[in-house]
Structures are given as C-alpha cells and as structure tokens.
Amino acid sequence: MALSPAEWTAVLLSLKVAAVATLATLPLAYAAAYALARGRFPGRWLLDVAVHLPLVLPPVVTGYLLLIAFGREGALGAALDAIGLSVMFRWTGAAIAAGVMALPLMVRAMRLSIEAVDRRLEEAARTLGHGPRATFLKVTLPLSLPGILAGAVLGFAKALGEFGATITFVSSIPGETQTLPLAIYGLLQTPGGEDAVVRLALVAVALSVGALLLSEWLTRRAARRLA
Amino acid sequence: MTVADTRIEVAVEKRLGETRVAASFVAERGVTALFGPSGIGKTSILDMVAGLSRPDAGRIAVDGEIWFDAATGADLPPEARRVGYVFQDRRLFPHLDVRANLLFGRHRADAAAFDRVVALLGLERLLDRWPRRLSGGEAQRVAIGRALLSEPKLLLLDEPLSHLDRPRAAEILDLVARLRDELALPILYVTHEPAEIERLAARRIDL
C-alpha cells in the first residue's frame, strides 16, 4: 500500500499548490468578504458576481480565461513577463487556478462571520478611544476569526481537489503541475494504473475528510469561545 | 482620575421615526439623571453624547470644548470624546478575558489606578474569567470598570440596574453612589425609576 516516488511527488505537489493557493487568496478573500458584508458602494453587485463566478462557471472556462489573462498576450501575463516571471505550465500557475476556484467558498464563509460580528461591540471600542482601524484590528478581525479559519480550510480542500481549471490552464506536467486529481486522471487513462489510482484516491479521500473535520472542529471551538 | 471638575452642556434634538427626541441640560460633578418612560429616547441621548449617533440639531460642549455643533458642522468622533459608556447590554468583548476587557481603553490608566478600580469594584477574583462566565452583576461591574479605566471625562450609565435581581441591583446602586463620592467624574444616569434618583440624590432631568 506504500506510495511510489512518483505518487509521493503528486501528493506533495498537491499539498504545496493548495497551501500556497489558500494563503495567497486569504487576504484577498477577506477584503472581498468585508466589502460585501459592510460596504455600500456602487458596483457592489459586480464584485459579488465576480467573486461567485468561479463557483458557477464550468471550470474549463475559468481555466481558459486564466490562459487568456496570463498568456503572453494577456495583460497579467505581459506584466509578469516584463519582470521575467511566467506562471504558464508552472506550479505557480496551478496555485493561481486553485486559488481562483477556492475564492468563492472562502469569501462566503468569511462574509457570514463578518456579518455575525456584533456592531455594538465595535461602537463600544470606539467609545473606549479606538479609531476605526484599531477597532477593526482589535474587535472585528478577531471576532470573525472562526469564518477565516473555516474559509481557509474549505478553500484548502477545494484547492486540493481542483481539476478542470488547472488542467486547462497549466496542463498536466508530472512534478510541476500534475497535482493529485490530475495524476489520478492520468493513471485512469493508462493501462495497468488501477492500483495506483486506488492508492491516490484513498489519499485524496483521507485529505478531504481530514480538512472537513478540521474545519468543523475549528468552527465549533471558536463558536464556543465566543458564545 | 482626579481631573478638575467637568461641565457638560447638552442641547440636542433628533427625529427617530415617529418620535422626536430632545433634551437640554447641563451636567456637572455628581449624578444627573435622565428620567422618563421607556421609548422616549433616553438611550439615544447618551448615544449622541458619546458620538455614536448624530443629532439633527443642537450642541454638545464639555469644558468649553465643542464635541458637536450642528451650526458649524463640528462633530468629534466617539474615540476623541473621552466618555466612559456603560451600555445597558454591557457589551463586554467575548474574545477577551476580564483583565483584557478592563485594559481595552486606549487611554489606559496606570497600574495604581487599575488596582484602585479593581478593588473599588471588587473584581480581584474575576480578572482571569471570560465574560460568558460572569453573572449579570459581575458583568455590570466589569463594564463599569472598563469605562472608568479608559480615563473618561464623564461616565454614561444606561439603566445599570436592568437585568439584575434585587440584591444585585442594590449592590450596583451602592457602587454608583461610591463612584459619585470618590471620583470627580460627572455621571449621566438613565433610568425610569424615581427611587434610584432619590437614592443617588441625583439632579433629575425629565424627558
């Protein structure tokens, strides 16, 4: 039941891609969640739609859009090219695809917890001498921590399982962009790959269940603490 | 905490839905009670003094410093007003223990003042507890302590005896009387109970 070196490579690559995707998306997702929960500005609905788009679009379309944006002709691709960077067919590209796909789930979890923060506590902080920024850091942010954690774990699980956008955007290169789901798919196309498929599928199940349980546990713990 | 006597001039009005809230009074050292039935807007007046709610018209000045003036558009934000607001619903921070709640104010009192307030309010045994583990009376004492330790120029107490049983209420009332005697702070005290006003020998402002 031991994993082969190639299988280990896929598993570790998956963990790296998902971790980087989650951490890089976290601040962005929180900012979007905060704007959606609290902001009253024109174009708010547009932000709402943009954030949710990866959730409802076919992943292959999301991958295609990333391909256009980050290709040499694309605005983001040209900018990265100018500083000598490319994410095309690199693991960083896989992390971008995973992060984009994880974004809506992360924003939803965070938005709910920001909306649940009692604004009267923020008022109390203001009367105690703290300006809006300090009030955010000392009250709003810590009180929305359960949602940040839940969103991060959910996003991580989603990033770990991402398939369609990744394979469209950065293809499936062993050791570079071939994450766990891509490796499983590849093996399914290969005669005699069944045993490896079973092993990797079990790893995928274990990681996903683990992430869900962790998310549940973190949420409960935080809810108990803040009750 | 030993500031010179403070003088607060309040003349505000604000329309809230169908009701018109209005008050005009001067508060100095001692207890000034805002008296009237529920729903007349007593809490709104405290909110306006604290800067949490903006009056439609009027003026709020403390020792000649303008906190709000509709005529000039002056409006100090709450964090610049130095009020110690004890909310009716207490609003202790659930993610912080009692000690951290007490020390939350930006203008923090020194260690000696901290010990004095803790002793005055009998909070020694509560310092490491979490707000959710406090009884109503304990939470109220912590809320008062938090307000006092932010070095305020005046104290706002919004029906501090509500949600408390009789013995607890009597205890808090005694406490307010001690604050009145031991601190030079003016206290604005919202209530609908004439007995409390009598007990505190408060100046009564009818709304």
Side-chain angles (χ1 to χ4, degrees), chain B residues 76-110:
Chain B
L76 274 191
E79 61 268 25
R81 292 196 185 194
R82 311 293 295 265
V83 299
Y85 196 162
V86 180
F87 300 92
Q88 193 176 357
D89 49 6
R90 279 134 209 174
R91 307 193 192 182
L92 298 180
F93 300 110
H95 59 303
L96 301 173
D97 65 12
V98 167
R99 185 189 306 275
N101 264 282
L102 290 172
L103 292 172
F104 193 89
R106 194 170 82 81
H107 305 280
R108 208 172 285 167
D110 58 24

Side-chain angles (χ1 to χ4, degrees), chain A residues 153 157 160 201-217:
Chain A
V153 177
L160 213 50
L202 284 174
V203 172
V205 170
L207 288 174
S208 307
V209 171
L212 266 186
L213 291 178
L214 180 65
S215 152
E216 196 68 12
W217 181 74

Side-chain angles (χ1 to χ4, degrees), chain A residues 11 16 46 82 93 102 106 115 121 126 137 148 162 164 169 172 178-180 208 226:
Chain A
V11 171
K16 176 169 84 170
L46 207 64
M106 294 169 77
E115 281 169 351
L121 292 174
R126 296 291 297 276
L137 291 175
I148 298 178
E162 214 300 307
F169 181 33
S172 178
Q178 192 180 71
T179 56
L180 197 53
S208 307
L226 301 180

Side-chain angles (χ1 to χ4, degrees), chain A residues 31-120:
Chain A
Y34 191 86
L36 290 173
R38 292 288 177 81
R40 294 284 167 270
F41 53 93
R44 187 168 161 280
W45 67 272
L46 207 64
L47 178 66
D48 206 3
V49 168
V51 161
H52 283 91
L53 215 50
L55 195 64
V56 290
L57 272 184
V60 63
V61 174
T62 304
Y64 172 68
L65 293 175
L66 286 173
L67 206 51
I68 293 178
F70 284 95
R72 267 170 210 284
E73 315 287 301
L76 293 169
L80 286 176
D81 212 34
I83 53 170
L85 275 177
S86 174
V87 296
M88 300 296 294
F89 308 110
R90 301 293 311 279
W91 72 270
T92 42
I96 290 174
V100 166
M101 294 302 287
L103 181 75
L105 287 174
M106 294 169 77
V107 171
R108 284 170 84 90
M110 292 177 188
R111 179 180 178 173
L112 284 178
S113 79
I114 293 168
E115 281 169 351
V117 172
D118 189 343
R119 311 226 24 195
R120 293 172 305 169

Side-chain angles (χ1 to χ4, degrees), chain B residues 1 13 38 56 64 73 91 93 101 116 139 166 181 187 196:
Chain B
M1 227 166 300
E13 58 175 275
S38 327
D56 296 336
R91 307 193 192 182
F93 300 110
N101 264 282
R116 202 162 59 237
R166 256 174 194 286
D181 298 337
I187 299 175
E196 293 172 22

